[in-house]
Amino acid sequence: MKVNIYYGGRGIIGDPTIFVINKIETVLEELNVTVERFNLYELKNSIVSLPSSLNNCDAAIFAATVEWYGIGGYLTQFLDACWLFGNKEKIKKTYMCPVVMSTTSGEREAKTQLMTAWEKLGGLAIEGICGYVADMMNFELNKDYGTLIEKQAENIYRTVSQKAQLLPSSSNSITVVAENPMTMSLSPQESEQLSKYASDESYVQQQKEDISELVSRFSGMLEAKSVDENRMYIDDFTEHFVKAGAVDGVFKFDIKERKQPLIIEVKNADLSCYYGIKDNPDVYLKLNAEIMNKIISGRETFQRAFMAGEMQIKGNPGLFRKLDDMFAF
């Protein structure tokens, strides 16, 4: 049996997640399990080619530390690479156990996020470990905590070795629906080869230069078109509004290139979009037109833009996370 550990933290001293995965690794090795660890902060330049490492393991442990909000960028990049380049047939047979420790708050939400992401990839998600650590010294010396971690490691071993059957999840069905619109079908070997190209910096840089040249070539043509400035983005939000995922709230978009903020109001599944002044919105978002264009064209999501530091938000974080559900760009 082989288990891969993918650690998405920063590797700093006193990270409680490192303590947990070290203890899990020790227990698994005592059970004659082969364990291989991948520190994503050390492999950040080759993350897109890492999904191929899942091909030779029976289970994976995704470990993250919530320092202020969410699971962090490296693990998100890895999950994106699994979606784009991973061998979906192999992932369907692979168990995943999340390990999320928090020094602030939000560890349960982050654990659920990892499990949902893996199930959307088609994989088998095991109930993992999450916890809040205020004092690292007390946490390490607490024998009861150590026993709980060891029992969870044993549970991973039993589940994988016995190939335990898990109840079906609705998230698994999303994989089929989301894959249908793809116009290009790739074999696992082709996906792996493509991921190697994507991890080649020189190749990626050349692609960026080519895209930049095309953008500059057609920018004049786009600028020549008459654009109703008063309707910019409003029609995009209106056309892609999903009533089924709507929640009540006021969103204020402060777009750098626009004179007035864009206001999005949702109440009782009714949408109102306009440019103007709105005090005390539920969520305040600050970004530039380039990022907004990427989002409305479907090349970026609100969540990923925020996690990448391309957008600032204030207000209700739970309401902010609903934006990607309410607007299907």
Side-chain angles (χ1 to χ4, degrees):
M1 183 192 302
K2 184 169 187 251
V3 174
N4 288 353
I5 298 177
Y6 298 90
Y7 168 65
R10 295 187 294 142
I12 59 175
I13 297 175
D15 186 340
T17 304
I18 295 178
F19 170 78
V20 173
I21 58 179
N22 283 341
K23 188 169 283 291
I24 290 175
E25 185 173 353
T26 300
V27 173
L28 291 176
E29 288 177 343
E30 290 175 353
L31 295 169
N32 296 320
V33 176
T34 301
V35 180
E36 185 174 3
R37 185 184 301 189
F38 298 85
N39 294 323
L40 300 185
Y41 68 91
E42 296 175 344
L43 303 166
K44 55 186 177 183
N45 293 328
S46 59
I47 285 179
V48 292
S49 62
L50 275 183
S52 60
S53 62
L54 291 165
N55 295 340
N56 61 356
C57 72
D58 301 291
I61 294 173
F62 288 176
T65 305
V66 179
E67 296 184 70
W68 74 285
Y69 183 83
I71 63 174
Y74 296 138
L75 204 49
T76 300
Q77 290 177 42
F78 177 62
L79 287 167
D80 284 345
C82 288
W83 176 258
L84 293 171
F85 308 119
N87 183 343
K88 300 298 197 306
E89 292 304 316
K90 178 61 176 69
I91 289 175
K92 288 178 182 178
K93 304 173 185 176
T94 304
Y95 294 88
M96 189 282 296
C97 176
V99 173
V100 181
M101 305 305 294
S102 169
T103 56
T104 52
S105 64
E107 67 281 356
R108 293 186 182 276
E109 292 83 355
K111 185 188 78 168
T112 301
Q113 180 183 358
L114 285 175
M115 294 180 70
T116 302
W118 190 248
E119 288 175 341
K120 285 185 178 181
L121 285 167
L124 305 167
I126 307 173
E127 189 69 30
I129 300 174
C130 69
Y132 165 71
V133 177
D135 187 322
M136 188 61 194
M137 183 66 71
N138 290 337
F139 179 68
E140 290 184 357
L141 296 177
N142 191 306
K143 294 183 179 179
D144 291 334
Y145 293 158
T147 301
L148 288 172
I149 296 169
E150 290 171 358
K151 286 183 178 179
Q152 182 59 40
E154 293 170 358
N155 183 55
I156 296 171
Y157 174 78
R158 283 192 296 270
T159 301
V160 179
S161 63
Q162 297 173 8
K163 298 188 183 301
Q165 184 71 33
L166 303 180
L167 289 173
S169 168
S170 60
S171 298
N172 292 129
S173 62
I174 294 177
T175 306
V176 178
V177 175
E179 285 181 337
N180 284 339
M182 293 184 66
T183 57
M184 180 173 59
S185 179
L186 300 176
S187 68
Q189 292 76 18
E190 289 170 330
S191 293
E192 185 174 341
Q193 184 178 18
L194 185 59
S195 70
K196 290 178 181 177
Y197 280 124
S199 64
D200 184 336
E201 288 296 325
S202 60
Y203 177 82
V204 173
Q205 185 60 35
Q206 182 61 48
Q207 295 301 303
K208 288 181 178 178
E209 292 175 1
D210 292 342
I211 293 171
S212 178
E213 182 181 348
L214 288 171
V215 170
S216 62
R217 182 177 300 177
F218 291 105
S219 60
M221 296 170 59
L222 293 173
E223 289 172 1
K225 295 181 179 180
S226 59
V227 178
D228 186 350
E229 291 290 323
N230 296 324
R231 297 294 302 175
M232 184 172 287
Y233 303 128
I234 291 178
D235 291 337
D236 296 295
F237 277 92
T238 303
E239 291 172 9
H240 295 87
F241 180 55
V242 180
K243 288 189 176 183
V247 292
D248 291 354
V250 178
F251 304 86
K252 181 178 180 180
F253 291 83
D254 187 352
I255 304 169
K256 183 179 179 181
E257 291 79 3
R258 304 291 295 172
K259 292 181 180 179
Q260 286 189 315
L262 173 64
I263 309 300
I264 306 291
E265 294 186 14
V266 181
K267 187 173 182 180
N268 298 326
D270 290 329
L271 176 68
S272 175
C273 304
Y274 59 90
Y275 284 99
I277 304 300
K278 187 71 175 181
D279 296 327
N280 302 318
D282 296 301
V283 182
Y284 171 80
L285 307 93
K286 187 175 182 180
L287 68 168
N288 59 37
E290 180 184 358
I291 300 304
M292 179 63 91
N293 291 336
K294 285 184 178 180
I295 292 173
I296 65 173
S297 64
R299 292 177 291 141
E300 186 59 284
T301 65
F302 290 104
Q303 182 74 18
R304 284 203 303 263
F306 171 67
M307 296 297 289
E310 297 172 328
M311 176 171 59
Q312 298 174 334
I313 72 164
K314 291 181 181 179
N316 188 330
L319 199 57
F320 164 73
R321 288 195 290 269
K322 296 291 184 180
L323 272 174
D324 287 316
D325 296 327
M326 286 195 289
F327 299 98
F329 294 115

